[in-house]
Amino acid sequence: MQLTIRATGENVEVITYLLAKNPNNIYERNHKGHYIRMFYNVVTETELELTIFLTPDPLVLVNNSSNAYDITHYINDREFAVSSIFISLIRSALGTALNGQPKEEYIKWVDHRFPFVFSFGPVATELSEQDTRNLFEPLGYDVDIEYAETDYSFRLKEKSSACYITLSGHTSLQKGLQQLFLLIPVLDNYKHYFIDESEIEMLKRYGEGWLEDHPQKEFIIRKALRFKEIYSQLEEQDNSDKQIHPIRLNELRYEKIVDLVKKLPMKNTIVDFGSGEGKLSAQLGFVEGVQEIFAVEPSETARSKAQKRFEKLKDKKGFVEPIMIWGSLFYFDERLKNKDVIILCEVIEHIDEERLPKAMDLILEQYYPSSIIITTPNKEYNHVYEMTESLRHNDHRFEWSREEFKEWCLRMNHSERYVLTFEGIGNEDETYGFPTQMCTFTRKENHS
């Protein structure tokens, strides 16, 4: 993936100082396994061209799933497309230009407008060509969109072809880069869930002087943040010093499950299936009344990270250290029988639908816990994320509507030994419900 910047006209050589990059040197950095290279193709008194090239390490992106990229726990094509990940990784290389802080003698050039051409790609987006033009043309750019040659059939995603975008227009280097840093994530199909204060601050800082008057302002904010409650808070606090403390959807799920477990009459022993890096299991370890937790996970990498997490907490007052188990929903483990609670948090959608009844029979008929808690994405809510043509994660085998999930849970409870309760997690949309749906199975003799 790459970004090429070309400028023409008198004094363009000052751009090298705005970038704080010597044209006689090649900028090369290895950033946590990702290889960033910046070099000048042309530097004359009237013409300048440089290219920023990124070669990411997809395994690092997956293994470091706790970092800000938060793509998924599975390799997908996103590592090879210009996206919010690309922007995150090249930000430090362009920091001087983005922040408008060159050496003092060149500050007067920060706002100087040059004839610029920005070219970047490959891009994988679900936006139509006209939607893409509507992002950039109001900013004064001529937009050229070039698709990959059809005989190569180069598709980064089943329903979207790779393309390269070229923008031509008069702007300052700082403004042009800030616009790219906000609008490339808007093109990004995968950016959802993770929002923190720095992203909101970046939206305000990089959007200053142009976003407020952009005809697609609301669309840009919604697509850039992809989190409705944060979008609303941002709109409400334009002239406020109020601090935003947004919460990731994962954290909302954990909070909901922990609160539910606290209220259960029987919670001494818990099984966390698909426990991953142990984030939920760790929180359950502090619930009063919990005496034993089994964290069941097939991934060696995830179990290793979970073990380190538990070791850091084991000396904390009241913490019950979870027991790590290699396991699967398709293999019976005598140790997991007759526990109080079994949890499947965002697990079932990663299993082929036709295999799920076998797994549920194992839980309901053989393990026979007092309570079962299951969460899964609500497919209808994908309309809010504007992801109606794709699943939220490439590893999802399916995603269900609220009615489909309810019907499936009732069907799994074919022996009618459990009472079912349905709830939602996250910010509720009047039309599409909650982003996450949850069902609690409670054994009838324990139901009150």
Side-chain angles (χ1 to χ4, degrees):
M1 59 185 86
Q2 67 181 55
L3 165 65
T4 297
I5 302 171
R6 184 172 184 270
T8 55
E10 294 183 0
N11 301 309
V12 292
E13 69 273 14
V14 301
I15 291 173
T16 65
Y17 295 97
L18 298 179
L19 290 162
K21 299 294 183 292
N22 189 326
N24 296 316
N25 299 327
I26 295 176
Y27 175 94
E28 293 179 305
R29 295 289 187 276
N30 189 313
H31 180 67
K32 298 180 180 179
H34 314 294
Y35 183 64
I36 304 165
R37 194 168 190 246
M38 185 192 311
F39 52 89
Y40 291 87
N41 305 304
V42 179
V43 179
T44 70
E45 292 182 357
T46 58
E47 184 180 3
L48 176 143
E49 183 178 284
L50 70 133
T51 297
I52 305 164
F53 189 84
L54 172 65
T55 305
D57 186 335
L59 293 178
V60 171
L61 288 175
V62 174
N63 291 337
N64 290 310
S65 56
S66 62
N67 65 22
Y69 313 131
D70 192 36
I71 54 171
T72 70
H73 296 291
Y74 308 90
I75 296 175
N76 59 41
D77 55 38
R78 190 183 180 200
E79 304 90 58
F80 308 105
V82 167
S83 66
S84 52
I85 291 178
F86 174 76
I87 291 302
S88 298
L89 291 173
I90 69 170
R91 185 178 294 145
S92 60
L94 296 172
T96 301
L98 278 164
N99 297 321
Q101 296 177 338
K103 290 183 178 180
E104 186 174 352
E105 59 263 40
Y106 297 100
I107 289 178
K108 64 182 180 181
W109 293 97
V110 168
D111 295 325
H112 186 83
R113 291 159 55 89
F114 292 96
F116 272 106
V117 177
F118 301 100
S119 300
F120 54 93
V123 174
T125 181
E126 290 181 353
L127 296 187
S128 68
E129 183 172 318
Q130 187 57 53
D131 286 337
T132 300
R133 293 183 183 280
N134 290 343
L135 291 178
F136 296 104
E137 288 180 347
L139 301 174
Y141 292 111
D142 292 328
V143 181
D144 181 66
I145 302 173
E146 181 179 353
Y147 293 91
E149 296 293 335
T150 55
D151 54 344
Y152 286 102
S153 298
F154 177 38
R155 288 184 178 271
L156 292 174
K157 199 167 178 284
E158 185 178 348
K159 294 185 179 181
S160 65
S161 298
C163 68
Y164 289 82
I165 298 175
T166 299
L167 310 175
S168 305
H170 281 70
T171 185
S172 68
L173 177 65
Q174 181 187 29
K175 190 65 66 181
L177 289 176
Q178 289 181 343
Q179 290 166 346
L180 290 178
F181 270 60
L182 282 192
L183 295 179
I184 284 176
V186 172
L187 297 170
D188 186 357
N189 291 341
Y190 296 91
K191 191 179 190 306
H192 57 289
Y193 293 157
F194 184 79
I195 298 296
D196 67 6
E197 289 89 340
S198 64
E199 291 191 69
I200 296 171
E201 179 58 34
M202 187 181 77
L203 184 69
K204 292 180 177 180
R205 188 170 70 252
Y206 290 176
E208 185 177 356
W210 64 272
L211 182 56
E212 183 63 33
D213 298 323
H214 197 293
Q216 300 296 318
K217 173 190 171 184
E218 292 191 6
F219 175 77
I220 291 169
I221 293 175
R222 189 170 67 250
K223 292 285 284 187
L225 297 184
R226 293 285 184 93
F227 212 3
K228 186 177 179 181
E229 51 264 52
I230 302 303
Y231 168 58
S232 299
Q233 290 181 39
L234 185 70
E235 288 291 288
E236 292 169 1
Q237 65 135 40
D238 282 342
N239 299 307
S240 171
D241 292 327
K242 178 182 176 182
Q243 294 296 311
I244 298 178
H245 299 286
I247 303 175
R248 292 172 65 178
L249 185 55
N250 255 351
E251 294 168 355
L252 292 173
R253 293 190 197 105
Y254 299 156
E255 181 181 295
K256 182 78 170 184
I257 292 170
V258 168
D259 286 345
L260 176 57
V261 170
K262 287 178 180 178
K263 298 173 184 177
L264 293 176
M266 301 179 67
K267 52 178 173 289
N268 291 351
T269 55
I270 298 176
V271 179
D272 181 10
F273 266 111
S275 56
E277 297 176 13
K279 295 178 181 179
L280 175 59
S281 293
Q283 293 188 35
L284 293 167
F286 288 101
V287 174
E288 186 177 352
V290 172
Q291 299 176 6
E292 184 179 57
I293 303 169
F294 289 100
V296 184
E297 171 60 42
S299 166
E300 179 66 34
T301 300
R303 284 190 292 121
S304 176
K305 291 183 178 181
Q307 195 63 59
K308 292 177 182 177
R309 185 186 306 276
F310 302 153
E311 287 174 359
K312 291 179 180 178
L313 297 172
K314 65 181 181 181
D315 295 328
K316 297 283 187 180
K317 184 178 179 180
F319 180 65
V320 176
E321 184 174 358
I323 301 167
M324 292 297 307
I325 292 181
W326 181 93
S328 163
L329 284 169
F330 298 97
Y331 298 98
F332 177 74
D333 190 326
E334 183 73 27
R335 294 171 291 180
L336 307 183
K337 285 186 63 175
N338 300 317
K339 301 303 178 187
D340 292 320
V341 187
I342 286 181
I343 300 170
L344 287 84
C345 178
E346 305 299 287
V347 170
I348 62 172
E349 63 272 11
H350 295 278
I351 301 171
D352 291 329
E353 196 170 342
E354 62 271 15
R355 301 182 68 202
L356 279 175
K358 180 180 178 181
M360 289 303 295
D361 280 346
L362 175 66
I363 293 173
L364 291 164
E365 305 299 328
Q366 296 189 58
Y367 290 152
Y368 196 43
S370 296
S371 301
I372 305 162
I373 301 171
I374 301 175
T375 75
T376 192
N378 167 19
K379 179 174 67 176
E380 296 165 83
Y381 201 88
N382 289 355
H383 285 84
V384 178
Y385 293 136
E386 299 186 12
M387 298 177 66
T388 56
E389 299 301 319
S390 60
L391 301 177
R392 295 189 199 175
H393 288 168
N394 278 10
D395 190 70
H396 285 185
R397 304 301 196 262
F398 63 86
E399 288 171 3
W400 286 329
S401 67
R402 287 166 289 179
E403 188 61 34
E404 288 170 331
F405 180 54
K406 183 177 182 180
E407 289 178 359
W408 177 81
C409 291
L410 291 169
R411 193 163 64 250
M412 293 302 100
N413 189 36
H414 52 79
S415 62
E416 298 186 352
R417 301 165 79 180
Y418 288 84
V419 175
L420 274 53
T421 305
F422 295 90
E423 298 179 74
I425 301 173
N427 186 70
E428 184 178 16
D429 181 88
E430 291 183 3
T431 303
Y432 302 113
F434 295 89
T436 295
Q437 47 193 336
M438 179 173 73
C439 180
T440 304
F441 291 66
T442 307
R443 230 160 54 188
K444 285 187 174 179
E445 60 265 33
N446 300 321
H447 182 71
S448 57

